[in-house]
Each structure stands twice: as structure tokens, then as C-alpha cells.
Amino acid sequence: MTLTYDDLLATITDPGGREILDPATGDLVGRAPFRSVETLDEAITRAKAAQPAWAGRTDDQRKEMLLAAADAIDAAAEPLAELLSREQGKPLNGPNARFEVGACTNWLRATAETDLPDLTLIDDGETHAELHYRPLGVVGAIGPWNWPMMITVWQIAPALRMGNTTVVKPSEYTPLSVLALAHVLNTALPQDVLTVVAGDGELGARLAGHPDIAKLMFTGSTRTGQAIIKSSADTVKRLTLELGGNDAGIVLPDVDPKAIAQDLFWGAFINTGQTCAALKRLYVHTDVYDDVCSALTDVTSAMPMGRGLDENNVLGPLQNKAQYDIVSRLVDAARDSGARILTGGDPDSEGPGYFYPATLVADIDSDNPLVVEEQFGPALPIIRVESIDEAVELANALDVGLGSSVWSADADAARAVAARIQAGTVWINSHGGVHPMIPFGGVKMSGYGLEFGVEGLKSVSAPQVING
Ligand code: NAD
């Protein structure tokens, strides 16, 4: 039977739960069950009890169940996308809600089909040593509000594949999306293998510090990541930390500005700028500066923004008031400093919703707060540089290093610049694209640990050597 939006919502909401409002309209989406620390503890106990049987299944059985879970997401894709759009704000179309639900199935299938074989290390007649990858136990996952479904799948799919059970604490801003995702996934999984417990930061801290959580997958801000590192000391907990970023893009003087403008736009404004590895500061060589500004302005000012359920829109509201205020403050400060607003920068204060127009800011100093702080929203500073050396120095000057990009007609020249940038990923002539087989992770204060592909499977398993 086809799952409808109303059925899905009725299954995951609780009449006494926390109100979750649509960031585009202020309307009630639903009431999310926010749970106590005791409920979380019970979920961890049940996940621990379920883990040996899950690990005891054959590898093929776990693969098949993950593939069946992907099929279940496909069958419920429309109601899931609608809920995601209402709760998170992102439009159905463009690289947004339907795209995110599609990414969930892609990642589940790719993870199910990726193997991490045991290795024979030495077998020379005298020594026989093998490396095996064992499950860790219960893996905890804590996520943010920007890509709530996709990031949850990134965190849990490898953990389940490797024989761990999982307990997830979603963001307090987007719990319904994750509860709905888990409800659908659980139609294909045994009981207590995947549990979502909604709540706020206090519940996250409990999960992060719990002695029965063998490994924590965390995606969120650097500040929360630092608190988690401190609390992990007591249990020597393994961590994968995907933290904040302030990705730089560097445009070389040989580009065709019109040809790259669309890709530059989406690099910066995907999910209305609320993306960890979005282009957040653009350094453009002076020879092409004016032309890049003008081509990017043409593309940016033509992009429709509005309520996510309207099929025409590709940009939506900021997800919450706090994020709206950050973007507003940073753009106002840039304007006050004398920077030039090319488009946007003037939100409609009358209408409902946290809509901030897609904004480009030119002639801005490299130490302006809009450049050096993470805006996490639709406002891109464009900084003029006199040389590529200057751009590389400025790109590397901050204490974060998630992604970065180099834009050039000459791939070899771009790669040479890429090698000098301190970031976990450097894209050439694009920004922010991820793939389930390509490892992803940050350097510096953007965190540590890798997700995706074989590296992602290793990160949720315990290497064990059998020697003899
Ligand atoms: P956040 O750190 O405020 O919250 C993330 C999660 O941590 C939430 O579920 C929250 O309830 C929980 N939390 C809060 N306090 C906690 C504590 N003491 N212990 C454990 N958990 C706690 O981040 P956010 O505002 O939701 O997300 C935005 C940030 O996430 C941005 O900085 C963005 O760059 C980053 N991000 C990074 C990636 C990546 O892959 N590197 C991806 C998406 C977002």
C-alpha cells in the first residue's frame, strides 16, 4: 500500500510533542516527540542487545536488507520529500528535497554494494597474519538541520553495513524528517538496529558521552564538535567529526566568466547556502573580476526563491531565525564597511518566513566578517586578488579546511594550485559535489575522520589482526 504524507506524519508525530514550524510560512508542520535522557538510555540498551544478532547475520543478508531499505525509500520518496520541504524549507525541485531523498537511496545502495575484504598481511611460511574488520558495537549519530535525511544515511549506512546497530539524535530543528526516514528504513530492518531519539543538545551530549556508544558520528558546528571531543575522553570514544567549513574558491585569470557562472552559483547557493561544503568566499583574479561579478549577478538574480512546495522555486528560506540573523548581521556589516552589494541584501521584512535573498557582495576586504566567519546562508563575498599566490595565502589563512575549489581553463594549472590548498577536498571547476565512493572529510578545525566508500566502512569498524 502506498504511504501517504498524512499517514507518514501521523505515524511519527505526538500530540504532546514539540511544535515544528514551517520556516517558509510559520505554519505548524507537526509535533515531534522529544524524549528524555532515560528514554535515550533505554534505546541504547536495546541497540546493544540487538547488535550481536545483527552482526551474526551474513554479509549478504545485511547487504540485502540495506538494498530493501533503499527500495522502501524509493517507494515513499514523494511524502518524504514533501515533509523535508515543509520542515527544512528547501524546495522540492533543484538540488533540494527530491534530490536529497534520491541521495539517500544512492548512498544506501552504494554502501550495500561496497566490500571491505579481510587482508592477508603476511603468509611466508613462517608468519601468517590477517587483518579483519569487526563491528564496533553501537554507533551513535548526531546530525545538523541542513541536509537532515542525507547526512543521517551517510552516518548510519556504513555502520549498519559493518554489523553495528545505531542510535540517532537528529537536530532539534528537523527531527520529523529523520523520524520519517527511519520509519521507512525500519520497514526493511530488524527491530532495534536503527533507533531515532529526538531531543535537543542535552540529549546529544548524553549520547556522545554514553559508555555503551562505541563510536560517534557527528556532523555539526565546530563548537559542538569541540564539546564532544572533550566528553569523549572519559570513554576513549572513537569519533568522526564533520564540522564547520568556510570553503574558498579561487578563480584563475584564464576562465570564461559566463561559462562558469552557473556552476559557481550552485557551488555557493545549493540549499540556499546552508551547506557545509558550499563555496563561502570567492577569490577572483583582478583580470576577470568585473566579468565574473557581472556573469554571477545575471545568474543569481534570475533564480526563483519562495515556498518549497511551489514547483517553480529552487531557493528557499533560511531554516531558522538564528541562521537568518547571522546572515543578516554579516551582510549589514559588509555593507556598512563600504562593500558593494551586487544583488540581494535587502530582505522583505513584511512577509512570513525566513527568506533572505541570494546576495553577492563585491569590493569587500579579505578580513571582513562576511569573509572570515561561516555565513551558512545565501550571501557570497567576492574578493579581488592581484595574484594566485595572494589567493592561496588568503584561502589558507582561516582555521577551517573542509572543501575548496579552483576554476581555470587549464586543468594542470588548476591542479597545481589545488595541491597548495589546505582542505579535505579541492574541486576543479565545480564545488561541493560528493559521491558515495569518494572519501569526504575536513582538515584543521573542520574535523577529522573520513566518510564514504571503503574509508567510510573502515571508520565504523574495529581492525583486528590475527597473527599465527
Ligand atoms: P550544531 O553543532 O549546533 O548542532 C548539531 C547537532 O549537535 C544537533 O543535533 C544538536 O542538537 C547537537 N548538539 C548540540 N549540543 C550538543 C552537545 N553538547 N553534545 C552533543 N550534541 C550536541 O550545528 P547545526 O547548527 O545544526 O549545523 C550547522 C553546522 O554544521 C555548520 O557549521 C556546518 O558547516 C556544519 N556542517 C558540517 C558538515 C560536514 O560534513 N562537515 C555537514 C553539514 C553541516
Side-chain angles (χ1 to χ4, degrees), residues 447-465:
Y448 49 77
L450 285 172
E451 294 189 293
F452 313 162
V454 173
E455 296 305 320
L457 295 180
K458 285 183 186 170
S459 82
V460 282
S461 49
Q464 182 188 47
V465 172

Side-chain angles (χ1 to χ4, degrees), residues 143 145-146 169 172 204-205 218-221 224 242-244 276 374 376:
W145 46 261
N146 57 341
K169 205 298 281 177
E172 52 273 45
F218 175 74
T219 301
S221 65
T224 308
E242 298 284 2
L243 308 179
C276 52
E374 186 186 27
F376 213 62

Side-chain angles (χ1 to χ4, degrees), residues 250 252 388 392 405-406 412-421 426:
I250 298 180
L252 274 51
I388 300 309
V392 171
S405 56
V406 182
D412 288 338
R415 282 197 197 95
V417 176
R420 299 167 60 196
I421 298 178
V426 186

Side-chain angles (χ1 to χ4, degrees), residues 141-147 151 154 169-174 199-209 216 218-225 227-228 231 241-246 274-278 280 320 323 374 376 402 440-442 446-447 451-452:
I142 299 177
W145 46 261
N146 57 341
W147 294 90
I151 287 175
W154 289 358
K169 205 298 281 177
S171 167
E172 52 273 45
Y173 289 111
T174 50
D200 48 28
E202 187 201 350
L203 217 61
R206 175 68 183 172
L207 183 65
L216 187 78
F218 175 74
T219 301
S221 65
T222 296
R223 195 161 37 97
T224 308
I228 287 173
S231 78
L241 299 173
E242 298 284 2
L243 308 179
N246 194 342
Q274 303 161 105
T275 298
C276 52
K280 291 174 181 154
N320 55 71
Q323 199 60 48
E374 186 186 27
F376 213 62
L402 189 56
F440 177 73
S446 291
E451 294 189 293
F452 313 162

